[in-house]
Amino acid sequence: MEQPKKLLIIGFVWPEPNSSAAGSRMMQLISIFQEHSFEITFASPALDSNFMVDLSQFGVHKKAIELNSPTFDIFIKELNPAVVLFDRFMIEEQFGWRVSENCPNAIRILDTEDLHCLRTARQKAFKEKRTFELTDLLSEEVAKREIASILRCDLSYIISEVEIEILKNVFKIDSSLLQYLPFLVDEMNEEDLRKLPSFNERNNFIFIGNFLHEPNWNTVQYLNEEIWPAIRAQFPEAVLEVYGAYPSQKALQLHQPKNGFLIKGRAEDANEVVKKARVVLAPIRFGAGLKGKLLEAMQCGTPSATTTIGSEAMHPNLPWNGFVENDPHEFAKKAIELYQNENLWKNSQKSGIAIINQCYQKNKYAVELIEAINNLLQNSETHRLHNFMGSLLQHHTLKSTKYMSKWIEAKNKN
């Protein structure tokens, strides 16, 4: 039997699969590594939350760690992992140099979740009421940090093919440092659809998304101010249920039962509420990566109405499971049609299954993921030799980050 290899995941937060797509993705990654004989320790400097998953139930060791503390050096030396996975670039900045110093042979992998610099630059352009240009990324402060982090790692998981192209063409990152890794789900067929609630068993529109995520909160505001009034003007009985973890007081104040606009807060089981809804509304105006809520809608057999940003990189050349529309009035009109036209709704469901089966095949990408890891474990020296910019940044950043961290460490002692 294959000997377990040790994998250390350093999380930005403890996984909350019911609160965010990032939490679901992390659990997908954990299951793939476990299926291939990795023994996993999940460490994080974050505080525990009431909604975090119980990692011990999944056979994962949990370890609380501190920022700017030599206790991490002792911990990682003793653990001596073969592979370290950083959850987002901010974690690599904090712990990457300590990993390099204490376990220089460990393979360092970055899971970007989405390109933060792309999301930030698009958000700025949106707020400044101008068109986003790819060249905006070159002056984005967070881009310098994120790209440096990608270069310092042996491999980065990129969730969107659009982002792979940006990294290669705008930032000139070598493709040997990037691995396309979308959401990973099981295949579906039309028999699976028949087990789900039918058109007539479903009611209401739904939006679902963590309120701490700025693109989600902006979408709820947009629904409230423009999209929903346009839908209600043509379809007065319509009801929209807005679900999401961590709603703010501002969000709760948007609850207007007489207008059919209901703020429901955290869903106990996101899958269940999406299965009961007839149409998902997601008029997302800025963001990056792939939208977990829209893939979840497909899995639940729930057609969705979204924008170009919402559907970006999610359905290469395949019909959407609903429609993609940027104009708010057209969006409202098509949302009503999708809600009321049973044939259109059923065909949209089938389009969702085709997208799942062609674009998010867990088995296909899991095999590629493990092959890449094994290849790095066998050829890390050659791989690193060809990543000169990475070793250059590793050398200088290790020094600067190290001494900043040492200074904080010393300050904390006093």
Side-chain angles (χ1 to χ4, degrees):
M1 193 175 151
E2 196 182 344
Q3 269 292 94
K5 295 180 280 283
K6 287 184 182 172
L7 164 68
L8 170 64
I9 301 173
I10 309 179
F12 182 66
V13 291
W14 300 106
E16 290 187 23
N18 290 331
S19 301
S20 70
S24 300
R25 176 175 170 81
M26 182 54 74
M27 296 313 292
Q28 288 168 1
L29 288 176
I30 285 171
S31 78
I32 289 166
F33 280 113
Q34 284 181 324
E35 283 163 20
H36 290 85
S37 303
F38 278 85
E39 184 187 324
I40 304 174
T41 300
F42 193 105
S44 178
L47 295 172
D48 284 6
S49 87
N50 294 332
F51 304 102
M52 64 194 250
V53 78
D54 181 357
L55 289 165
S56 65
Q57 285 190 350
F58 295 87
V60 175
H61 310 293
K62 176 179 181 276
K63 173 72 179 173
I65 52 176
E66 291 177 52
L67 295 169
N68 307 306
S69 168
T71 55
F72 178 82
D73 304 343
I74 298 160
F75 156 67
I76 197 168
K77 262 186 194 156
E78 284 175 4
L79 185 66
N80 193 24
V83 181
V84 177
L85 175 69
F86 302 103
D87 167 31
R88 293 168 249 207
F89 78 91
M90 302 81 88
I91 285 293
E92 188 278 335
E93 284 182 330
Q94 289 286 346
F95 294 98
W97 69 269
R98 291 186 185 272
V99 172
S100 297
E101 203 166 73
N102 294 291
C103 294
N105 297 325
I107 300 304
R108 298 185 297 273
I109 297 175
L110 174 65
D111 186 23
T112 54
E113 299 288 358
D114 61 23
L115 276 187
H116 290 62
C117 60
L118 180 61
R119 177 157 33 101
T120 306
R122 279 177 170 166
Q123 186 173 328
K124 275 189 191 167
F126 172 79
K127 299 230 159 142
E128 291 166 10
K129 297 184 168 56
R130 59 180 173 80
T131 305
F132 164 75
E133 305 284 350
L134 282 175
T135 49
D136 292 348
L137 293 167
L138 297 172
S139 56
E140 188 54 58
E141 188 61 34
V142 77
K144 297 175 177 71
R145 294 170 54 198
E146 192 164 25
I147 299 306
S149 185
I150 288 170
L151 285 166
R152 284 192 297 266
C153 288
D154 297 308
L155 191 65
S156 290
Y157 293 148
I158 311 298
I159 202 166
S160 149
E161 287 180 309
V162 167
E163 293 180 5
I164 293 252
E165 290 310 305
I166 287 171
L167 289 167
K168 291 201 298 204
N169 299 327
V170 178
F171 295 110
K172 313 301 179 198
I173 305 282
D174 194 274
S175 56
S176 66
L177 300 178
L178 308 173
Q179 183 164 17
Y180 174 54
L181 194 65
F183 292 122
L184 308 170
V185 297
D186 295 322
E187 200 169 341
M188 281 184 77
N189 56 44
E190 291 198 23
E191 185 54 42
D192 295 316
L193 276 186
R194 284 191 275 276
K195 294 173 189 165
L196 294 166
S198 67
F199 177 84
N200 289 320
E201 289 171 322
R202 296 170 181 247
N203 284 305
N204 301 342
F205 293 96
I206 191 173
F207 172 78
I208 190 160
N210 187 322
F211 280 94
L212 295 179
H213 190 55
E214 184 63 28
N216 286 339
W217 168 229
N218 181 270
T219 301
V220 173
Q221 291 172 297
Y222 185 39
L223 279 164
N224 179 62
E225 290 160 16
E226 287 195 55
I227 305 285
W228 193 244
I231 288 176
R232 284 279 287 202
Q234 299 167 67
F235 182 17
E237 313 86 70
V239 173
L240 171 64
E241 297 179 327
V242 178
Y243 284 91
Y246 304 107
S248 64
Q249 198 52 44
K250 267 189 195 170
L252 295 171
Q253 283 169 357
L254 299 181
H255 183 66
Q256 298 158 340
K258 69 176 193 297
N259 296 327
F261 196 91
L262 310 178
I263 303 290
K264 307 285 267 187
R266 179 184 290 275
E268 283 300 310
D269 184 330
N271 250 293
E272 281 308 304
V273 298
V274 177
K275 278 178 193 168
K276 287 174 184 168
R278 196 178 285 177
V279 173
V280 167
L281 298 182
I284 299 161
R285 294 190 283 185
F286 55 83
L290 300 180
K291 310 301 177 287
K293 61 177 72 57
L294 295 177
L295 180 61
E296 180 178 55
M298 295 177 209
Q299 291 177 286
C300 293
T302 312
S304 64
T306 191
T307 54
T308 310
I309 287 282
S311 68
E312 179 180 85
M314 288 199 70
H315 65 126
N317 303 320
L318 292 171
W320 188 248
N321 75 314
F323 67 85
V324 177
E325 178 58 64
N326 295 322
D327 178 79
H329 294 289
E330 277 300 305
F331 189 101
K333 197 169 99 184
K334 288 181 179 173
I336 294 166
E337 189 186 358
L338 187 58
Y339 191 94
Q340 295 176 337
N341 183 329
E342 187 170 355
N343 279 339
L344 175 63
W345 189 87
K346 284 180 172 172
N347 287 333
S348 298
Q349 268 193 331
K350 289 173 189 168
S351 296
I353 285 191
I355 293 169
I356 285 171
N357 293 344
Q358 193 164 318
C359 306
Y360 301 99
Q361 266 304 298
K362 181 180 171 183
N363 294 341
K364 172 182 186 260
Y365 292 109
V367 167
E368 291 175 5
L369 179 153
I370 297 301
E371 279 176 359
I373 296 272
N374 288 335
N375 189 36
L376 281 171
L377 286 166
Q378 287 158 22
N379 304 297
S380 62
E381 279 186 39
T382 312
H383 179 80
R384 288 174 180 176
L385 196 62
H386 287 98
N387 180 18
F388 180 74
M389 288 305 291
S391 57
L392 184 78
L393 282 166
Q394 191 70 42
H395 173 79
H396 288 291
T397 312
L398 194 142
K399 297 282 186 287
S400 59
T401 317
K402 174 180 176 177
Y403 290 112
M404 170 58 85
S405 187
K406 293 276 186 195
W407 178 76
I408 294 169
E409 199 182 300
K411 197 162 170 277
N412 289 344
K413 277 180 190 166
N414 297 331

